[in-house]
Amino acid sequence: MRPDNDGAVNQEDSYLHNEIFPELSSLTPAMLSWVDKNSYDIILVLNKDGRFIFLSESIERILGFSVEKMVGEKWYEKTSAADALFIKKNFNHADPAQVFSINVLNDKGIYIMFECTIEKLVDKDEVYFISTLKDVTDKKESEEMMIRSEKMSIAGQLAAGIAHEIRNPLTSLKGFLQLLQAGLTSKEEYYQIMLEEIEKMESITSELLFISKPLTDNKKTEAINEMIEDVVMLMKPQAKLKDIQLGFESEETAFIYCDRSQIKQVILNLVKNGIEAMDQPGTIVIRLEANHESVIIRVIDEGGGIPSDLINKIGEPFFTTKQSGTGLGLMISKQILAQHNAILDITQNKDRGSTFHIIFPVK
């Protein structure tokens, strides 16, 4: 609500508060004005054409725009084209309040990340859309920092297995070079073997660098089979150190709309957890299943399993069943999956171990 210069309440704002927000009608104009100016969220009301008819004064403090200039503007002119298109396609007029992540321009032309809640309201045959914008920039940066930290932690833990795997081809290369230096005649055959050994090392190091890359948000349609095969290749050295066989089973190629780097991070986290949970030699199987409703990745280990009373706590920050764990790996995995509208489910195996189910809905 915005009082006029003489202290009277603006009639349009009064209508909005009394009719659209009846629960606020009992508050005094001074109280409403204080809430309006000090709110950490931006409150918006739009008409059926998508034009602003009410904006809380917090928009000036957070985005730098004056309320007067914004009234009558179209909402999709202040957000990124991709976000505007996504909301138009996915907003369900029959559902209650819906939440979207959107990038909104401030007065300096910089995009700020907001959590946007939108609800449709019909009043006296008029259609309105009520929305709140919550600035989640700090939350987003904290999550990205945690994911980067977890990536570097994983890279460090993989170092022992990778060093072991790279040392073998290096030993072969050294031996062949010594033979060539000694004047070996049949060189072509050894050149080919040396190239194959170099390619092995190159593939391992490139995957390690991929895992350590900064977090991105580049979603596109990806072949999930290829991503799992990359993770298997990267994790096999670490599994081999504990005499664990790592396998991948799939009857068909499946595609999902995702950020390749982030989903590989999730699969890698689950495989790493399975390896750490197994104190004896055994098998970890990654199984891919697809149908018309979902794409499911199952990571099946033969570890000690998770007690049924603790399964619901898995994924909480700093809750872990490992002595040296932090619990952040699974928490970050759940956050990544939530950004992809996917879920992580955990079940106990009948004999031993646990199965982690990553479920992607098929749109």
Side-chain angles (χ1 to χ4, degrees), residues 123-356:
D123 181 71
K124 297 178 180 178
D125 296 326
E126 288 291 329
V127 175
Y128 300 97
F129 297 94
I130 302 173
S131 176
T132 60
L133 299 179
K134 182 187 293 292
D135 187 348
V136 292
T137 305
D138 292 341
K139 179 184 175 184
K140 184 78 173 174
E141 288 176 353
S142 297
E143 288 177 356
E144 290 180 0
M145 190 178 297
M146 289 175 67
I147 292 172
R148 285 196 297 269
S149 175
E150 181 68 15
K151 282 187 174 186
M152 296 310 297
S153 173
I154 290 171
Q157 292 175 33
L158 291 174
I162 289 170
H164 177 79
E165 195 71 9
I166 288 178
R167 187 175 61 184
N168 290 337
L170 279 175
T171 303
S172 300
L173 287 170
K174 182 179 178 181
F176 288 131
L177 286 171
Q178 288 171 337
L179 289 171
L180 292 170
Q181 194 176 33
L184 189 69
T185 55
S186 56
K187 299 178 182 179
E188 292 302 323
E189 180 183 348
Y190 293 107
Y191 284 150
Q192 184 59 37
I193 296 173
M194 290 169 69
L195 284 172
E196 289 173 359
E197 295 298 301
I198 291 171
E199 286 173 2
K200 282 182 187 177
M201 292 188 294
E202 188 179 39
S203 63
I204 291 170
T205 53
S206 64
E207 281 301 314
L208 185 62
L209 288 171
F210 190 88
I211 291 298
S212 303
K213 278 184 180 178
L215 183 67
T216 60
D217 190 22
N218 301 317
K219 292 188 178 74
K220 58 182 180 180
T221 302
E222 301 279 2
I224 192 69
N225 303 62
E226 295 176 3
M227 295 158 62
I228 296 173
E229 287 166 359
D230 290 344
V231 171
V232 169
M233 182 182 65
L234 183 62
M235 295 301 295
K236 268 189 175 179
Q238 188 174 347
K240 194 183 294 183
L241 290 176
K242 296 183 70 173
D243 200 14
I244 294 171
Q245 299 297 316
L246 183 57
F248 173 39
E249 299 176 356
S250 175
E251 295 182 356
E252 58 184 310
T253 300
F255 295 87
I256 58 173
Y257 183 72
C258 70
D259 184 302
R260 182 184 180 89
S261 175
Q262 293 183 21
I263 297 305
K264 284 179 69 171
Q265 167 93 21
V266 172
I267 301 169
L268 191 144
N269 279 348
L270 298 183
V271 173
K272 182 176 74 72
N273 283 348
I275 292 172
E276 293 173 352
M278 293 173 61
D279 297 325
Q280 298 177 353
T283 302
I284 294 177
V285 176
I286 306 175
R287 187 171 296 148
L288 177 63
E289 302 171 13
N291 55 50
H292 66 283
E293 293 183 348
S294 58
V295 173
I296 305 172
I297 305 167
R298 307 188 198 276
V299 180
I300 308 163
D301 66 53
E302 295 180 348
I306 303 170
S308 56
D309 59 325
L310 298 181
I311 282 182
N312 290 334
K313 293 186 177 181
I314 295 295
E316 294 180 7
F318 306 109
F319 177 84
T320 178
T321 56
K322 296 180 288 188
Q323 288 184 350
S324 59
T326 63
L328 295 178
L330 281 177
M331 185 198 76
I332 290 168
S333 296
K334 283 191 169 184
Q335 289 178 344
I336 291 172
L337 292 176
Q339 292 169 5
H340 289 77
N341 296 318
I343 60 172
L344 177 65
D345 190 29
I346 308 168
T347 57
Q348 285 184 299
N349 299 337
K350 186 176 181 181
D351 297 325
R352 59 172 177 160
S354 306
T355 298
F356 290 78

